[in-house]
Amino acid sequence: MVEEPQVIEALRGVQDPELGRSIVELGMVHDVEVDAGEVRFTLALTTLACPLRESIVENARQAVLGLGNVEDVHVELREMTEEEKQQIWPEKPQQQQAGVAEQLNDIQHVVAVMSGKGGVGKSSVAALLAVALRREGKRVGVLDADITGPSIPKMFGLSGTPPMGPVGIIPAETEEGIRVMSINLLLPEEDEAVIWRGPLISGAIRQFWGDVLWADLDYLIVDLPPGTSDASLTVMQSMPLNGVVLVTSPQGLAGMVVRKAARMAEKLTIPLIGVVENMSYAECPNCGERIDIFGPSKSEEVAEQVNAPFLGRLPLDPELAERCDAGEIEAYEGEDFEPIAEAIAERVPEEASEPMMAQAHPQGPRGR
Amino acid sequence: MVEEPQVIEALRGVQDPELGRSIVELGMVHDVEVDAGEVRFTLALTTLACPLRESIVENARQAVLGLGNVEDVHVELREMTEEEKQQIWPEKPQQQQAGVAEQLNDIQHVVAVMSGKGGVGKSSVAALLAVALRREGKRVGVLDADITGPSIPKMFGLSGTPPMGPVGIIPAETEEGIRVMSINLLLPEEDEAVIWRGPLISGAIRQFWGDVLWADLDYLIVDLPPGTSDASLTVMQSMPLNGVVLVTSPQGLAGMVVRKAARMAEKLTIPLIGVVENMSYAECPNCGERIDIFGPSKSEEVAEQVNAPFLGRLPLDPELAERCDAGEIEAYEGEDFEPIAEAIAERVPEEASEPMMAQAHPQGPRGR
């Protein structure tokens, strides 16, 4: 059965979007009671007129339901006392407002890497693209939008919690100077599960955009999770994307799911930069034979079907898998990827898509 | 910009959970107006006292927001006129109630196949498991819970809309008699994107459980999508699972994400049946060399870390990829998988987990 400390722990993950801090740390959570599967608690808000009230309550509910074994959650609301408010804003109220970082950032191009289907090496392609652009002297960041299966930090050998500056979260930095933000940098252990429903996933992604001090970047690469649900939708609706790179594998099945991803981008009017085929073939280390592990390539066909340029093939390279597992992707030679990175950089549209407004995210924790 | 027909098309995907039919087909949608990014329409419900009112409205909102380019959605509610009601229930009201199918079904064991990480061959393992059990003479069903990247129908060569019987949806049937339900059977085209936020995803999965006439089954295999968000959470919370099979690949990265999946199952008190390693190695067709494509295996270690038995390894077999793409997975020999299927069947716990109650899904379209 669920107990009080677990409820508080779950609520610690819920932020007040206006203040950008955990509702538990802000002293908003009171009177937690657990009675068989029923959980009750009171949320003390800075003002009951808070326009984001519904989403805070919903996020808190979902966080507690996410514990499992919880059948129902009752949330009472009250306004904070003056004393309680004093503790939150010791001197200047709203000193650390959400979205301040965003106003300070200057990001030239935002490129999302997407596949629809998992495991085709989307994260490797996103990381290799960042590395290749960095080698060209560009200022590069990677936003890991895969909240439930984040693999970017491990590839770059990053761990540890990023520090919180006065206006936002400072991204982690790789050896070569690529700035990285990922939920895995914020978890106590890298294999901790993030059991969140959509609204929390979307909230985290919007914070990675609005509350992270990316500073000046030539390219921000966004690594999308598989699927066309909340995470992809939030990235496409709330960030000014210049375009999407689609990653596929030679399997017909992968092609089908990639076409779904392409249709999503089309519906949301995000330009397709092109299609990259990963895991194209392997080379036998003994006899040099080229093996079509996933069958013959159909990716040029897929590119044609989705009306996007075909950008090239990447072989299955055990060295890349090893480098990724060892956190050394920046040391990987990756000659095969160079022409692909060049083709992508050439084709990134100069103009970014217009992000949607706050109303499009009735459940989101932040109005952007 | 969004136009009226698109709005109606989007709303066509929203069901009245009580009636199990599209709100558009039921004649519930009226007075659609689009004005710059704002969409307005009226929903005529059979009764304004409908307990599922909120979820219908929310699902309708989300469906329209999913179109993109929509900033705000205003939904007016009214009660249907007597004449309108007559058209819905020509003779017996509520003849086809949600959840009736569930009461008629008799399912002995429900086994979820999960990986956390995408592309490790979870769907192939789910399908191979179904085929192996079927070869043993068992009555088997496959519930494809991967709503945004469904691959089960293609593997079995299934297409076409399943018929709607008087008490529920009749699942598709493979050549060998495996019953299958997947969102891809309900889409006009297999590569149509399902751009839904979490509540709709969860609703579809719950319908696949409650409104599909699975009839008598020895095993229902549930193919989970990657990730630990809505789809996995809904399956774990709302179905009586006997256990979870975890699929991993030799990559260290896959191991990390699989450990997240294991932690989720643990938190929701679902027993782990064991760990299967897929894509373990490939064989060179020229010289027979065994190639560790994704590096040396670490899966026994992963199994130990998550406290579950290690059930075996599957090589990367181009024939399997081909058979899957051709819809002929039932014709695949799959000798390597036989002992794994046996080990799974032996280890499935007899007792199922207790599903959570309806209140745990405030946004779901059905009270279960």
Side-chain angles (χ1 to χ4, degrees), chain A residues 71 150 184 191-192 194 196-198 202 228-230 252 256 259-260 263 267 325 359 363, chain B residues 71 150 184 189 191-192 194 196 198 202 228-230 252 256 259-260 263 267 325 359 363:
Chain A
E71 288 174 17
N184 245 24
D191 51 7
E192 189 58 52
V194 175
W196 290 352
R197 288 194 179 267
S202 297
T228 51
S229 186
D230 294 84
M256 178 187 84
R259 286 197 299 275
K260 285 181 191 268
R263 285 206 179 197
K267 282 195 180 165
D325 284 351
Q359 298 95 304
Q363 305 175 315
Chain B
E71 288 175 19
N184 246 23
E189 287 172 63
D191 52 7
E192 189 57 51
V194 175
W196 290 351
S202 298
T228 51
S229 187
D230 294 84
M256 177 187 86
R259 287 197 297 275
K260 286 180 189 269
R263 286 204 177 196
K267 283 194 180 166
D325 284 351
Q359 298 95 304
Q363 305 177 314

mmCIF file of all heavy atoms in Angstrom, chain A residues 71 150 184 191-192 194 196-198 202 228-230 252 256 259-260 263 267 325 359 363, chain B residues 71 150 184 189 191-192 194 196 198 202 228-230 252 256 259-260 263 267 325 359 363:
data_model
loop_
_atom_site.group_PDB
_atom_site.id
_atom_site.type_symbol
_atom_site.label_atom_id
_atom_site.label_comp_id
_atom_site.label_asym_id
_atom_site.label_seq_id
_atom_site.Cartn_x
_atom_site.Cartn_y
_atom_site.Cartn_z
ATOM 1 N N GLU A 71 -6.341 4.548 -5.755
ATOM 2 C CA GLU A 71 -7.591 4.501 -6.486
ATOM 3 C C GLU A 71 -8.180 5.879 -6.710
ATOM 4 O O GLU A 71 -8.841 6.128 -7.704
ATOM 5 C CB GLU A 71 -8.612 3.642 -5.738
ATOM 6 C CG GLU A 71 -8.237 2.164 -5.828
ATOM 7 C CD GLU A 71 -9.142 1.313 -4.976
ATOM 8 O OE1 GLU A 71 -10.220 1.799 -4.584
ATOM 9 O OE2 GLU A 71 -8.746 0.180 -4.689
ATOM 10 N N PRO A 150 15.619 8.131 -21.828
ATOM 11 C CA PRO A 150 16.666 9.079 -22.231
ATOM 12 C C PRO A 150 18.029 8.391 -22.369
ATOM 13 O O PRO A 150 18.476 7.724 -21.455
ATOM 14 C CB PRO A 150 16.704 10.077 -21.074
ATOM 15 C CG PRO A 150 16.196 9.309 -19.891
ATOM 16 C CD PRO A 150 15.295 8.228 -20.403
ATOM 17 N N ASN A 184 17.504 12.477 -17.429
ATOM 18 C CA ASN A 184 18.364 11.559 -16.691
ATOM 19 C C ASN A 184 19.411 12.286 -15.845
ATOM 20 O O ASN A 184 19.950 11.723 -14.906
ATOM 21 C CB ASN A 184 19.047 10.557 -17.637
ATOM 22 C CG ASN A 184 18.568 9.140 -17.342
ATOM 23 O OD1 ASN A 184 17.486 8.964 -16.796
ATOM 24 N ND2 ASN A 184 19.370 8.149 -17.678
ATOM 25 N N ASP A 191 18.896 4.649 -13.721
ATOM 26 C CA ASP A 191 17.880 3.688 -14.140
ATOM 27 C C ASP A 191 16.559 3.856 -13.387
ATOM 28 O O ASP A 191 15.700 2.985 -13.413
ATOM 29 C CB ASP A 191 18.389 2.243 -14.068
ATOM 30 C CG ASP A 191 18.992 1.918 -12.730
ATOM 31 O OD1 ASP A 191 18.895 2.761 -11.818
ATOM 32 O OD2 ASP A 191 19.562 0.825 -12.599
ATOM 33 N N GLU A 192 16.406 4.981 -12.720
ATOM 34 C CA GLU A 192 15.113 5.318 -12.111
ATOM 35 C C GLU A 192 14.064 5.466 -13.227
ATOM 36 O O GLU A 192 14.345 6.029 -14.272
ATOM 37 C CB GLU A 192 15.267 6.644 -11.355
ATOM 38 C CG GLU A 192 14.092 7.031 -10.490
ATOM 39 C CD GLU A 192 13.768 5.978 -9.441
ATOM 40 O OE1 GLU A 192 14.681 5.555 -8.699
ATOM 41 O OE2 GLU A 192 12.609 5.576 -9.382
ATOM 42 N N VAL A 194 10.732 6.961 -14.957
ATOM 43 C CA VAL A 194 9.901 8.165 -14.930
ATOM 44 C C VAL A 194 8.498 7.735 -15.360
ATOM 45 O O VAL A 194 8.218 7.588 -16.542
ATOM 46 C CB VAL A 194 10.465 9.235 -15.878
ATOM 47 C CG1 VAL A 194 9.535 10.433 -15.940
ATOM 48 C CG2 VAL A 194 11.838 9.668 -15.406
ATOM 49 N N TRP A 196 5.341 8.807 -15.740
ATOM 50 C CA TRP A 196 4.513 10.007 -15.837
ATOM 51 C C TRP A 196 3.535 9.852 -16.979
ATOM 52 O O TRP A 196 3.880 9.344 -18.027
ATOM 53 C CB TRP A 196 5.379 11.238 -16.137
ATOM 54 C CG TRP A 196 6.256 11.678 -15.040
ATOM 55 C CD1 TRP A 196 6.279 11.206 -13.752
ATOM 56 C CD2 TRP A 196 7.265 12.694 -15.125
ATOM 57 N NE1 TRP A 196 7.238 11.871 -13.038
ATOM 58 C CE2 TRP A 196 7.857 12.787 -13.853
ATOM 59 C CE3 TRP A 196 7.714 13.517 -16.152
ATOM 60 C CZ2 TRP A 196 8.882 13.683 -13.576
ATOM 61 C CZ3 TRP A 196 8.731 14.402 -15.881
ATOM 62 C CH2 TRP A 196 9.310 14.488 -14.607
ATOM 63 N N ARG A 197 2.352 10.416 -16.776
ATOM 64 C CA ARG A 197 1.438 10.525 -17.901
ATOM 65 C C ARG A 197 1.802 11.771 -18.721
ATOM 66 O O ARG A 197 2.643 12.572 -18.319
ATOM 67 C CB ARG A 197 -0.006 10.568 -17.403
ATOM 68 C CG ARG A 197 -0.465 9.219 -16.877
ATOM 69 C CD ARG A 197 -1.965 9.151 -16.703
ATOM 70 N NE ARG A 197 -2.351 7.835 -16.215
ATOM 71 C CZ ARG A 197 -2.704 6.822 -17.003
ATOM 72 N NH1 ARG A 197 -2.713 6.960 -18.307
ATOM 73 N NH2 ARG A 197 -3.040 5.658 -16.493
ATOM 74 N N GLY A 198 1.128 11.896 -19.855
ATOM 75 C CA GLY A 198 1.474 12.917 -20.835
ATOM 76 C C GLY A 198 1.691 14.338 -20.341
ATOM 77 O O GLY A 198 2.689 14.974 -20.694
ATOM 78 N N SER A 202 5.042 16.507 -21.097
ATOM 79 C CA SER A 202 5.031 17.750 -21.872
ATOM 80 C C SER A 202 5.602 18.898 -21.063
ATOM 81 O O SER A 202 6.338 19.741 -21.581
ATOM 82 C CB SER A 202 3.601 18.089 -22.285
ATOM 83 O OG SER A 202 3.100 17.084 -23.115
ATOM 84 N N THR A 228 4.091 9.239 -31.748
ATOM 85 C CA THR A 228 3.557 10.508 -32.224
ATOM 86 C C THR A 228 2.590 11.059 -31.184
ATOM 87 O O THR A 228 1.602 11.690 -31.523
ATOM 88 C CB THR A 228 2.829 10.305 -33.570
ATOM 89 O OG1 THR A 228 1.905 9.224 -33.419
ATOM 90 C CG2 THR A 228 3.781 9.968 -34.677
ATOM 91 N N SER A 229 2.890 10.799 -29.914
ATOM 92 C CA SER A 229 1.992 11.251 -28.850
ATOM 93 C C SER A 229 2.552 12.494 -28.163
ATOM 94 O O SER A 229 3.160 13.346 -28.805
ATOM 95 C CB SER A 229 1.747 10.099 -27.882
ATOM 96 O OG SER A 229 0.776 10.455 -26.927
ATOM 97 N N ASP A 230 2.367 12.585 -26.857
ATOM 98 C CA ASP A 230 2.628 13.833 -26.135
ATOM 99 C C ASP A 230 3.980 14.488 -26.398
ATOM 100 O O ASP A 230 4.042 15.677 -26.692
ATOM 101 C CB ASP A 230 2.471 13.603 -24.629
ATOM 102 C CG ASP A 230 1.030 13.283 -24.285
ATOM 103 O OD1 ASP A 230 0.656 12.103 -24.414
ATOM 104 O OD2 ASP A 230 0.287 14.198 -23.941
ATOM 105 N N GLY A 252 10.915 -2.998 -43.438
ATOM 106 C CA GLY A 252 9.662 -2.458 -43.961
ATOM 107 C C GLY A 252 8.810 -1.885 -42.846
ATOM 108 O O GLY A 252 8.170 -0.843 -42.986
ATOM 109 N N MET A 256 7.138 1.901 -42.345
ATOM 110 C CA MET A 256 5.731 2.244 -42.101
ATOM 111 C C MET A 256 5.609 3.251 -40.964
ATOM 112 O O MET A 256 4.888 4.241 -41.065
ATOM 113 C CB MET A 256 4.938 0.989 -41.738
ATOM 114 C CG MET A 256 3.486 1.269 -41.424
ATOM 115 S SD MET A 256 2.636 -0.203 -40.807
ATOM 116 C CE MET A 256 3.057 -0.160 -39.068
ATOM 117 N N ARG A 259 6.812 6.655 -41.872
ATOM 118 C CA ARG A 259 5.823 7.401 -42.669
ATOM 119 C C ARG A 259 4.774 8.046 -41.761
ATOM 120 O O ARG A 259 4.293 9.138 -42.024
ATOM 121 C CB ARG A 259 5.166 6.487 -43.707
ATOM 122 C CG ARG A 259 6.093 6.151 -44.876
ATOM 123 C CD ARG A 259 5.341 5.599 -46.072
ATOM 124 N NE ARG A 259 4.636 4.371 -45.767
ATOM 125 C CZ ARG A 259 5.166 3.143 -45.804
ATOM 126 N NH1 ARG A 259 6.433 2.980 -46.123
ATOM 127 N NH2 ARG A 259 4.439 2.081 -45.523
ATOM 128 N N LYS A 260 4.451 7.366 -40.666
ATOM 129 C CA LYS A 260 3.533 7.978 -39.694
ATOM 130 C C LYS A 260 4.155 9.264 -39.128
ATOM 131 O O LYS A 260 3.486 10.285 -38.982
ATOM 132 C CB LYS A 260 3.245 7.019 -38.531
ATOM 133 C CG LYS A 260 2.295 5.885 -38.867
ATOM 134 C CD LYS A 260 2.045 5.009 -37.631
ATOM 135 C CE LYS A 260 1.317 3.731 -37.972
ATOM 136 N NZ LYS A 260 -0.154 3.827 -37.860
ATOM 137 N N ARG A 263 3.965 12.026 -41.578
ATOM 138 C CA ARG A 263 2.619 12.589 -41.683
ATOM 139 C C ARG A 263 2.333 13.540 -40.535
ATOM 140 O O ARG A 263 1.653 14.539 -40.702
ATOM 141 C CB ARG A 263 1.590 11.462 -41.649
ATOM 142 C CG ARG A 263 1.548 10.704 -42.942
ATOM 143 C CD ARG A 263 0.181 10.075 -43.107
ATOM 144 N NE ARG A 263 0.128 9.367 -44.367
ATOM 145 C CZ ARG A 263 -1.003 9.006 -44.945
ATOM 146 N NH1 ARG A 263 -2.153 9.299 -44.371
ATOM 147 N NH2 ARG A 263 -0.981 8.366 -46.079
ATOM 148 N N LYS A 267 1.296 17.375 -40.880
ATOM 149 C CA LYS A 267 0.073 17.954 -40.293
ATOM 150 C C LYS A 267 0.394 19.170 -39.449
ATOM 151 O O LYS A 267 -0.411 20.075 -39.319
ATOM 152 C CB LYS A 267 -0.641 16.914 -39.435
ATOM 153 C CG LYS A 267 -1.406 15.925 -40.285
ATOM 154 C CD LYS A 267 -2.401 15.108 -39.480
ATOM 155 C CE LYS A 267 -3.115 14.148 -40.433
ATOM 156 N NZ LYS A 267 -3.831 13.078 -39.737
ATOM 157 N N ASP A 325 28.089 3.093 -25.250
ATOM 158 C CA ASP A 325 27.973 2.509 -23.910
ATOM 159 C C ASP A 325 29.039 3.064 -22.973
ATOM 160 O O ASP A 325 28.839 3.152 -21.768
ATOM 161 C CB ASP A 325 28.104 0.982 -23.977
ATOM 162 C CG ASP A 325 26.826 0.343 -24.510
ATOM 163 O OD1 ASP A 325 25.827 1.068 -24.658
ATOM 164 O OD2 ASP A 325 26.832 -0.872 -24.774
ATOM 165 N N GLN A 359 -2.788 28.274 -25.040
ATOM 166 C CA GLN A 359 -4.097 27.635 -24.949
ATOM 167 C C GLN A 359 -4.109 26.239 -25.561
ATOM 168 O O GLN A 359 -4.981 25.451 -25.267
ATOM 169 C CB GLN A 359 -5.169 28.455 -25.672
ATOM 170 C CG GLN A 359 -5.394 29.829 -25.104
ATOM 171 C CD GLN A 359 -4.582 30.854 -25.855
ATOM 172 O OE1 GLN A 359 -3.356 30.738 -25.968
ATOM 173 N NE2 GLN A 359 -5.240 31.858 -26.376
ATOM 174 N N GLN A 363 -3.450 21.318 -20.407
ATOM 175 C CA GLN A 363 -2.978 20.575 -19.240
ATOM 176 C C GLN A 363 -1.537 20.881 -18.917
ATOM 177 O O GLN A 363 -0.965 20.319 -18.014
ATOM 178 C CB GLN A 363 -3.096 19.085 -19.506
ATOM 179 C CG GLN A 363 -4.493 18.709 -19.890
ATOM 180 C CD GLN A 363 -4.558 17.266 -20.261
ATOM 181 O OE1 GLN A 363 -3.715 16.766 -20.999
ATOM 182 N NE2 GLN A 363 -5.534 16.578 -19.734
ATOM 183 N N GLU B 71 -5.510 27.007 -31.462
ATOM 184 C CA GLU B 71 -5.075 27.640 -30.229
ATOM 185 C C GLU B 71 -6.035 27.397 -29.089
ATOM 186 O O GLU B 71 -5.647 27.292 -27.943
ATOM 187 C CB GLU B 71 -4.910 29.149 -30.444
ATOM 188 C CG GLU B 71 -3.685 29.448 -31.289
ATOM 189 C CD GLU B 71 -3.578 30.910 -31.620
ATOM 190 O OE1 GLU B 71 -4.217 31.713 -30.921
ATOM 191 O OE2 GLU B 71 -2.859 31.240 -32.579
ATOM 192 N N PRO B 150 2.178 0.867 -34.111
ATOM 193 C CA PRO B 150 1.705 -0.523 -34.078
ATOM 194 C C PRO B 150 2.325 -1.370 -35.181
ATOM 195 O O PRO B 150 2.274 -0.982 -36.339
ATOM 196 C CB PRO B 150 0.199 -0.382 -34.309
ATOM 197 C CG PRO B 150 0.049 0.892 -35.074
ATOM 198 C CD PRO B 150 1.196 1.782 -34.701
ATOM 199 N N ASN B 184 -3.966 -0.189 -35.819
ATOM 200 C CA ASN B 184 -3.728 -0.122 -37.262
ATOM 201 C C ASN B 184 -4.818 -0.803 -38.072
ATOM 202 O O ASN B 184 -4.981 -0.521 -39.251
ATOM 203 C CB ASN B 184 -2.354 -0.694 -37.622
ATOM 204 C CG ASN B 184 -1.442 0.382 -38.172
ATOM 205 O OD1 ASN B 184 -1.657 1.556 -37.888
ATOM 206 N ND2 ASN B 184 -0.449 0.021 -38.954
ATOM 207 N N GLU B 189 -5.558 4.125 -43.466
ATOM 208 C CA GLU B 189 -4.341 3.668 -44.141
ATOM 209 C C GLU B 189 -3.329 3.275 -43.081
ATOM 210 O O GLU B 189 -3.259 3.913 -42.035
ATOM 211 C CB GLU B 189 -3.739 4.792 -44.996
ATOM 212 C CG GLU B 189 -4.537 5.075 -46.236
ATOM 213 C CD GLU B 189 -4.013 6.324 -46.934
ATOM 214 O OE1 GLU B 189 -2.844 6.321 -47.381
ATOM 215 O OE2 GLU B 189 -4.763 7.313 -46.994
ATOM 216 N N ASP B 191 -0.259 3.702 -42.766
ATOM 217 C CA ASP B 191 0.755 4.660 -42.342
ATOM 218 C C ASP B 191 0.153 5.994 -41.883
ATOM 219 O O ASP B 191 0.847 6.990 -41.754
ATOM 220 C CB ASP B 191 1.841 4.863 -43.415
ATOM 221 C CG ASP B 191 1.245 5.203 -44.761
ATOM 222 O OD1 ASP B 191 0.017 5.408 -44.823
ATOM 223 O OD2 ASP B 191 2.003 5.270 -45.736
ATOM 224 N N GLU B 192 -1.143 5.994 -41.616
ATOM 225 C CA GLU B 192 -1.784 7.161 -41.001
ATOM 226 C C GLU B 192 -1.179 7.362 -39.606
ATOM 227 O O GLU B 192 -0.945 6.404 -38.879
ATOM 228 C CB GLU B 192 -3.292 6.888 -40.885
ATOM 229 C CG GLU B 192 -4.124 8.068 -40.465
ATOM 230 C CD GLU B 192 -3.963 9.263 -41.403
ATOM 231 O OE1 GLU B 192 -4.107 9.092 -42.625
ATOM 232 O OE2 GLU B 192 -3.667 10.345 -40.898
ATOM 233 N N VAL B 194 -1.247 8.485 -35.722
ATOM 234 C CA VAL B 194 -2.186 8.664 -34.621
ATOM 235 C C VAL B 194 -1.580 9.703 -33.680
ATOM 236 O O VAL B 194 -0.721 9.390 -32.860
ATOM 237 C CB VAL B 194 -2.426 7.330 -33.887
ATOM 238 C CG1 VAL B 194 -3.316 7.544 -32.675
ATOM 239 C CG2 VAL B 194 -3.067 6.321 -34.825
ATOM 240 N N TRP B 196 -2.182 11.511 -30.918
ATOM 241 C CA TRP B 196 -3.039 11.640 -29.752
ATOM 242 C C TRP B 196 -2.203 11.890 -28.520
ATOM 243 O O TRP B 196 -1.123 11.333 -28.376
ATOM 244 C CB TRP B 196 -3.805 10.339 -29.516
ATOM 245 C CG TRP B 196 -4.845 10.022 -30.510
ATOM 246 C CD1 TRP B 196 -5.310 10.823 -31.512
ATOM 247 C CD2 TRP B 196 -5.575 8.784 -30.606
ATOM 248 N NE1 TRP B 196 -6.275 10.165 -32.214
ATOM 249 C CE2 TRP B 196 -6.463 8.919 -31.687
ATOM 250 C CE3 TRP B 196 -5.555 7.593 -29.887
ATOM 251 C CZ2 TRP B 196 -7.329 7.894 -32.060
ATOM 252 C CZ3 TRP B 196 -6.416 6.584 -30.256
ATOM 253 C CH2 TRP B 196 -7.298 6.735 -31.326
ATOM 254 N N GLY B 198 -1.956 11.525 -24.270
ATOM 255 C CA GLY B 198 -2.131 10.360 -23.405
ATOM 256 C C GLY B 198 -3.555 9.885 -23.145
ATOM 257 O O GLY B 198 -3.821 8.683 -23.245
ATOM 258 N N SER B 202 -4.756 6.039 -23.748
ATOM 259 C CA SER B 202 -5.221 5.175 -22.668
ATOM 260 C C SER B 202 -6.623 4.665 -22.956
ATOM 261 O O SER B 202 -6.939 3.505 -22.703
ATOM 262 C CB SER B 202 -5.228 5.939 -21.340
ATOM 263 O OG SER B 202 -3.921 6.336 -21.036
ATOM 264 N N THR B 228 7.629 4.466 -20.346
ATOM 265 C CA THR B 228 6.946 4.144 -19.098
ATOM 266 C C THR B 228 5.871 5.177 -18.836
ATOM 267 O O THR B 228 5.601 5.526 -17.696
ATOM 268 C CB THR B 228 7.961 4.117 -17.933
ATOM 269 O OG1 THR B 228 8.713 5.341 -17.959
ATOM 270 C CG2 THR B 228 8.931 2.976 -18.045
ATOM 271 N N SER B 229 5.257 5.677 -19.914
ATOM 272 C CA SER B 229 4.238 6.705 -19.747
ATOM 273 C C SER B 229 2.835 6.113 -19.901
ATOM 274 O O SER B 229 2.585 4.984 -19.492
ATOM 275 C CB SER B 229 4.500 7.843 -20.733
ATOM 276 O OG SER B 229 3.633 8.921 -20.487
ATOM 277 N N ASP B 230 1.929 6.858 -20.506
ATOM 278 C CA ASP B 230 0.505 6.503 -20.495
ATOM 279 C C ASP B 230 0.165 5.064 -20.881
ATOM 280 O O ASP B 230 -0.574 4.398 -20.167
ATOM 281 C CB ASP B 230 -0.270 7.456 -21.413
ATOM 282 C CG ASP B 230 -0.250 8.873 -20.873
ATOM 283 O OD1 ASP B 230 0.735 9.575 -21.136
ATOM 284 O OD2 ASP B 230 -1.182 9.263 -20.170
ATOM 285 N N GLY B 252 24.473 -1.652 -23.715
ATOM 286 C CA GLY B 252 24.387 -1.163 -22.344
ATOM 287 C C GLY B 252 23.248 -0.178 -22.192
ATOM 288 O O GLY B 252 22.532 -0.170 -21.191
ATOM 289 N N MET B 256 20.014 -0.147 -19.531
ATOM 290 C CA MET B 256 19.593 0.922 -18.626
ATOM 291 C C MET B 256 18.094 1.170 -18.739
ATOM 292 O O MET B 256 17.385 1.276 -17.733
ATOM 293 C CB MET B 256 20.340 2.210 -18.957
ATOM 294 C CG MET B 256 19.907 3.388 -18.107
ATOM 295 S SD MET B 256 20.678 4.934 -18.668
ATOM 296 C CE MET B 256 19.534 5.452 -19.933
ATOM 297 N N ARG B 259 16.028 -1.573 -17.276
ATOM 298 C CA ARG B 259 15.962 -1.499 -15.806
ATOM 299 C C ARG B 259 14.889 -0.500 -15.373
ATOM 300 O O ARG B 259 14.219 -0.692 -14.368
ATOM 301 C CB ARG B 259 17.326 -1.124 -15.217
ATOM 302 C CG ARG B 259 18.336 -2.274 -15.305
ATOM 303 C CD ARG B 259 19.514 -2.061 -14.365
ATOM 304 N NE ARG B 259 20.274 -0.870 -14.699
ATOM 305 C CZ ARG B 259 21.246 -0.805 -15.608
ATOM 306 N NH1 ARG B 259 21.582 -1.886 -16.289
ATOM 307 N NH2 ARG B 259 21.889 0.314 -15.834
ATOM 308 N N LYS B 260 14.725 0.563 -16.154
ATOM 309 C CA LYS B 260 13.632 1.503 -15.848
ATOM 310 C C LYS B 260 12.281 0.786 -15.954
ATOM 311 O O LYS B 260 11.402 0.963 -15.105
ATOM 312 C CB LYS B 260 13.635 2.688 -16.822
ATOM 313 C CG LYS B 260 14.743 3.702 -16.585
ATOM 314 C CD LYS B 260 14.642 4.843 -17.611
ATOM 315 C CE LYS B 260 15.833 5.775 -17.565
ATOM 316 N NZ LYS B 260 15.666 6.917 -16.668
ATOM 317 N N ARG B 263 11.693 -1.392 -13.016
ATOM 318 C CA ARG B 263 11.328 -0.622 -11.825
ATOM 319 C C ARG B 263 9.869 -0.217 -11.863
ATOM 320 O O ARG B 263 9.198 -0.159 -10.839
ATOM 321 C CB ARG B 263 12.181 0.644 -11.733
ATOM 322 C CG ARG B 263 13.594 0.333 -11.320
ATOM 323 C CD ARG B 263 14.187 1.567 -10.678
ATOM 324 N NE ARG B 263 15.518 1.251 -10.208
ATOM 325 C CZ ARG B 263 16.182 1.988 -9.341
ATOM 326 N NH1 ARG B 263 15.626 3.082 -8.851
ATOM 327 N NH2 ARG B 263 17.371 1.645 -8.948
ATOM 328 N N LYS B 267 7.103 -1.118 -9.106
ATOM 329 C CA LYS B 267 6.296 -0.119 -8.402
ATOM 330 C C LYS B 267 4.814 -0.427 -8.517
ATOM 331 O O LYS B 267 4.036 -0.100 -7.634
ATOM 332 C CB LYS B 267 6.558 1.284 -8.972
ATOM 333 C CG LYS B 267 7.867 1.848 -8.472
ATOM 334 C CD LYS B 267 7.997 3.341 -8.726
ATOM 335 C CE LYS B 267 9.349 3.810 -8.174
ATOM 336 N NZ LYS B 267 9.735 5.117 -8.637
ATOM 337 N N ASP B 325 8.205 -8.437 -42.452
ATOM 338 C CA ASP B 325 7.813 -7.462 -43.470
ATOM 339 C C ASP B 325 6.790 -8.048 -44.432
ATOM 340 O O ASP B 325 5.955 -7.333 -44.969
ATOM 341 C CB ASP B 325 9.043 -6.990 -44.258
ATOM 342 C CG ASP B 325 9.873 -6.001 -43.453
ATOM 343 O OD1 ASP B 325 9.399 -5.580 -42.381
ATOM 344 O OD2 ASP B 325 10.984 -5.660 -43.892
ATOM 345 N N GLN B 359 -11.623 5.280 -10.871
ATOM 346 C CA GLN B 359 -11.220 6.605 -10.410
ATOM 347 C C GLN B 359 -9.753 6.903 -10.714
ATOM 348 O O GLN B 359 -9.341 8.046 -10.722
ATOM 349 C CB GLN B 359 -11.405 6.771 -8.900
ATOM 350 C CG GLN B 359 -12.820 6.650 -8.437
ATOM 351 C CD GLN B 359 -13.115 5.221 -7.984
ATOM 352 O OE1 GLN B 359 -12.932 4.274 -8.741
ATOM 353 N NE2 GLN B 359 -13.550 5.086 -6.765
ATOM 354 N N GLN B 363 -9.199 10.897 -16.642
ATOM 355 C CA GLN B 363 -9.347 11.420 -17.991
ATOM 356 C C GLN B 363 -9.751 10.349 -18.981
ATOM 357 O O GLN B 363 -9.888 10.608 -20.149
ATOM 358 C CB GLN B 363 -8.031 12.023 -18.458
ATOM 359 C CG GLN B 363 -7.539 13.069 -17.498
ATOM 360 C CD GLN B 363 -6.217 13.570 -17.956
ATOM 361 O OE1 GLN B 363 -5.346 12.787 -18.314
ATOM 362 N NE2 GLN B 363 -6.051 14.875 -17.964
#
